[in-house]
């Protein structure tokens, strides 16, 4: 398999996760203004591919039910083979974030502040 095949496979595997996550975030946070999802690309580290990010602006964290958000995110994670999260890390400066792994050397990072952003960093097979 050449490098482009590995990037394409990761895009297919994790692109649907990001699409599902986008829908779940919007059901919990409300309508957001989304940019088009970025495709998979190699990073500065030649061993890693980054799928995404998805990026939506218009998050008002003070109105978000953290338990409902966690539940919606965990439903998506379970469906896509990732471990569930216990909670988001809530920083004093107003950012919520979490990084979670799957069983295929991939990590999903979700960050919420005035915007919602998520991407997957993965190692191609």
């Amino acid at each position: 398999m050449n490098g482009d095949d590995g990037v394409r496979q990761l895009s297919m595997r994790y692109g649907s996760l990001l699409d599902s996550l986008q829908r779940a975030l919007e059901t919990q946070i409300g309508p957001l203004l989304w940019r088009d999802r970025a495709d998979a690309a190699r990073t500065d580290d030649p061993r890693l591919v980054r799928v995404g990010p998805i990026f939506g602006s218009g998050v008002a964290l003070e109105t978000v039910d953290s338990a409902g958000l966690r539940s919606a995110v965990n439903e998506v994670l379970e469906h896509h083979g990732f471990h569930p999260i216990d909670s988001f890390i809530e920083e004093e400066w107003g950012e919520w974030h979490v990084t979670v792994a799957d069983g295929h050397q991939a990590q999903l990072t979700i960050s919420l502040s005035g915007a919602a952003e998520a991407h997957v960093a993965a190692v191609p097979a």
Side-chain angles (χ1 to χ4, degrees):
M1 168 185 336
N2 69 35
D4 288 341
D5 288 341
V7 171
R8 198 172 5 263
Q9 284 184 349
L10 292 175
S11 180
M12 291 180 346
R13 174 183 287 167
Y14 298 115
S16 64
L17 161 72
L18 293 173
D19 292 341
S20 296
L21 183 61
Q22 183 175 329
R23 288 188 297 274
L25 290 173
E26 198 156 82
T27 62
Q28 293 299 310
I29 296 172
L32 302 174
L33 180 59
W34 293 97
R35 293 182 189 163
D36 289 341
R37 176 172 51 86
D39 202 1
R42 295 237 176 234
T43 66
D44 291 340
D45 179 342
R47 298 168 295 165
L48 287 178
V49 170
R50 179 177 168 146
V51 183
I54 56 171
F55 184 90
S57 57
V59 176
L61 284 177
E62 61 275 1
T63 65
V64 175
D65 169 27
S66 61
L69 177 62
R70 185 188 72 238
S71 177
V73 167
N74 278 339
E75 190 173 310
V76 172
L77 295 176
E78 179 181 355
H79 180 75
H80 290 275
F82 278 77
H83 303 290
I85 61 171
D86 294 325
S87 63
F88 283 86
I89 298 166
E90 297 183 24
E91 301 292 355
E92 61 188 39
W93 58 85
E95 177 188 24
W96 294 6
H97 59 92
V98 68
T99 299
V100 62
D102 74 353
H104 303 285
Q105 296 185 325
Q107 289 188 330
L108 168 67
T109 300
I110 304 169
S111 175
L112 304 168
S113 56
E117 184 174 351
H119 71 273
V120 175
V123 177

